[in-house]
């Protein structure tokens, strides 16, 4: 009986952690905010039964609650109405959008009814308010994997809004005339010149000058395999 109760507590904490992580741009950003190693966070998010799963113990719970100024007991589903420290809360799900291919992304905004939405099987939710033509893409490759700071590695998904204006410093999905499929990079404007820059410093910057179409701006990102 005690084991069942503990399992319920750990599952509650896992779901609460999932909710918190999704409010950050990346899992690494959450790691930096809480001081918990990103690999440990990943294992804490594993569902019950998955090899390598790590339960969220008392020390980690308090560390998360303190770092994010949550009331004590929040991770366990306990509400403390009289506590003078309160968390601002989360946005409810704002919508559900299709996951498409990188090739499809290149012509998404040009289609009258983008790739027949009803025929797309995979849809993901977001808490971000965005246009109805937004779509998700699976991140592939290591060009946006950074050794420090913002990093969006392979295995994550990004939500792209075609109606958001691309400005300096925004993460964008773009299509070069010479390529068959879209690419995911940081949009940089420097002294009037425009570039697509990877977050991975090992990748070179690409200057764009009339040979590139910005498909949309990335407005959300999360781990793709979270249940």
């Amino acid at each position: 009986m005690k084991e069942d109760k503990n399992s319920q507590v750990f599952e509650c904490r896992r779901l609460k952690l999932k909710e918190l992580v999704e409010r950050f741009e990346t899992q690494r950003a959450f790691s930096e905010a809480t001081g918990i190693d990103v690999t440990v966070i990943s294992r804490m998010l594993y569902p019950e039964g998955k090899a390598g799963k790590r339960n969220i113990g008392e020390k980690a719970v308090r560390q998360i609650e303190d770092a994010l100024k949550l009331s004590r007991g929040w991770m366990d589903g306990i509400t403390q109405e009289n506590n003078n420290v309160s968390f601002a809360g989360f946005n409810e799900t704002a919508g559900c959008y299709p996951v498409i291919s990188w090739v499809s992304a290149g012509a998404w905004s040009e289609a009258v009814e983008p790739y027949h939405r009803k025929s797309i099987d995979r849809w993901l939710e977001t808490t971000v308010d965005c246009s109805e033509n937004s779509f998700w893409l699976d991140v592939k490759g290591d060009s946006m994997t950074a050794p420090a700071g913002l990093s969006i590695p392979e295995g994550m998904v990004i939500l792209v809004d075609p109606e958001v204006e691309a400005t300096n410093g925004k993460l964008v999905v773009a299509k070069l005339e010479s390529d068959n499929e879209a690419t995911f990079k940081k949009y940089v404007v420097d002294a009037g010149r425009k570039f697509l820059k990877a977050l991975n410093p090992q990748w070179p910057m690409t200057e764009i000058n009339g040979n590139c179409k910005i498909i949309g701006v990335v407005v959300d990102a999360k781990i793709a395999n979270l249940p």
Side-chain angles (χ1 to χ4, degrees):
M1 188 72 178
K2 182 177 180 181
E3 184 177 349
D4 290 340
K5 184 176 180 181
N6 285 340
S7 296
Q8 291 175 7
V9 169
F10 289 135
E11 178 61 10
C12 176
R13 290 175 178 176
R14 186 185 74 85
L15 293 174
K16 288 290 188 180
L17 177 63
K18 177 177 180 290
E19 186 179 353
L20 288 169
V21 170
E22 288 180 346
R23 296 305 301 145
F24 287 77
E25 282 192 330
T26 65
Q27 205 173 91
R28 187 177 296 277
F30 179 83
S31 169
E32 292 173 352
T34 58
I36 298 176
D37 187 86
V38 68
T39 59
V40 173
I41 293 169
S42 294
R43 291 171 58 195
M44 288 176 171
L45 289 167
Y46 286 174
E48 188 65 38
K50 182 172 180 177
K53 174 177 173 54
R54 178 165 177 165
N55 287 326
I56 307 174
E58 294 297 323
K59 182 178 179 180
V61 164
R62 304 313 162 215
Q63 184 171 339
I64 292 170
E65 289 175 347
D66 290 348
L68 301 182
K69 295 182 172 58
L70 296 163
S71 60
R72 286 298 176 95
W74 189 92
M75 290 287 291
D76 293 326
I78 300 171
T79 302
Q80 298 181 13
E81 295 180 353
N82 295 326
N83 195 317
N84 63 354
V85 178
S86 61
F87 183 60
F90 300 98
N91 294 327
E92 296 295 329
T93 298
C96 197
Y97 299 89
V99 182
I100 67 173
S101 74
W102 286 88
V103 172
S104 299
W108 181 261
S109 61
E110 298 173 357
V112 176
E113 183 183 354
Y115 293 85
H116 305 289
R117 286 173 174 266
K118 292 181 180 179
S119 67
I120 299 175
D121 295 327
R122 189 176 168 212
W123 294 68
L124 295 175
E125 295 180 342
T126 182
T127 57
V128 175
D129 288 323
C130 52
S131 73
E132 62 179 8
N133 288 327
S134 298
F135 56 86
W136 292 95
L137 291 169
D138 287 300
V139 176
K140 58 183 182 179
D142 65 352
S143 68
M144 298 299 275
T145 302
L150 177 61
S151 180
I152 304 182
E154 187 169 34
M156 296 190 72
V157 286
I158 52 175
L159 181 62
V160 184
D161 190 340
E163 296 185 18
V164 174
E165 181 184 1
T167 56
N168 184 39
K170 293 283 189 181
L171 299 183
V172 302
V173 169
K175 186 176 183 303
L176 295 168
E177 289 180 351
S178 59
D179 295 338
N180 181 48
E181 62 180 31
T183 185
F184 172 37
K185 296 290 185 293
K186 184 177 182 179
Y187 181 64
V188 176
V189 180
D190 185 11
R193 299 170 66 187
K194 300 175 182 178
F195 302 87
L196 294 179
K197 180 181 179 181
L199 296 180
N200 186 336
Q202 296 182 0
W203 285 63
M205 285 203 305
T206 300
E207 185 169 7
I208 55 177
N209 183 20
N211 63 337
C212 174
K213 174 187 176 184
I214 303 296
I215 296 169
V217 172
V218 176
V219 294
D220 195 6
K222 61 184 179 180
I223 306 299
N225 60 356
L226 283 178

